[in-house]
Amino acid sequence: MPNKFSYEFVIIRVVPKVEREEFMNVGVIVFSKPKRYLAMKYELDAPRLKALSEDIDLDFLKEHLEAWNAICAGAPQGGAIGEQDQPYRFRWLAASRSTILQTSRVHPGLCTDLTAVLEDLFHRYVADSP
């Protein structure tokens, strides 16, 4: 497989009421150690989220997703986690948690264009998902 390199990804989920185990996909994080790439894309569909839970705090979600975005970028707003190397940051973001923001298990892949993969995964699992 010439010119292809490995990557990993997780789907970001909002779980408004953890005890009900209902969730909505809101974003994707893509990581490639060989290419030193870590990026995410997300979108909050307010009407759909409100349908899952009328009292969901969209500002809270956006604030936390922006913090995750800063961690991906290694920006100062990412705090102590944002200062770590990319593999550590990805593993921290992909770790299992029982909060309103969760991620799927880690999935592997091979590609030649990480930006295209991020866009494709976003449209496949978030933007175009039912």
Side-chain angles (χ1 to χ4, degrees), residues 35-47:
K35 292 296 181 178
R36 296 184 177 153
Y37 181 91
L38 179 58
M40 71 178 269
K41 183 171 183 170
Y42 75 91
E43 176 180 270
L44 294 177
D45 184 335

Side-chain angles (χ1 to χ4, degrees), residues 4 7 11-12 19-20 29 43 45 47 50 54 58-59 66 71 73-74 79 81 88 96-97 99 108 120-121:
K4 289 194 176 188
Y7 70 91
I11 307 300
I12 304 168
E19 65 278 7
R20 288 196 334 219
I29 301 172
E43 176 180 270
D45 184 335
K50 290 286 187 181
E54 290 179 1
L58 296 173
D59 291 331
E66 282 301 311
I71 289 168
I81 302 299
Y88 184 94
S96 293
R97 40 179 69 82
T99 63
D120 177 60
L121 292 170

Side-chain angles (χ1 to χ4, degrees), residues 55-95:
D55 58 343
I56 195 163
D57 186 342
L58 296 173
D59 291 331
F60 170 85
L61 286 176
K62 184 169 175 143
E63 180 180 313
H64 280 78
L65 286 166
E66 282 301 311
W68 282 25
N69 206 20
I71 289 168
C72 280
Q77 301 88 340
I81 302 299
E83 295 174 359
Q84 303 300 317
D85 64 6
Q86 281 183 335
Y88 184 94
R89 295 192 321 258
F90 177 70
R91 298 288 171 238
W92 186 88
L93 290 165

Side-chain angles (χ1 to χ4, degrees), residues 118-129:
L118 179 63
E119 288 297 321
D120 177 60
L121 292 170
F122 178 79
H123 287 288
R124 183 181 309 171
Y125 295 113
V126 179
D128 296 336
S129 65

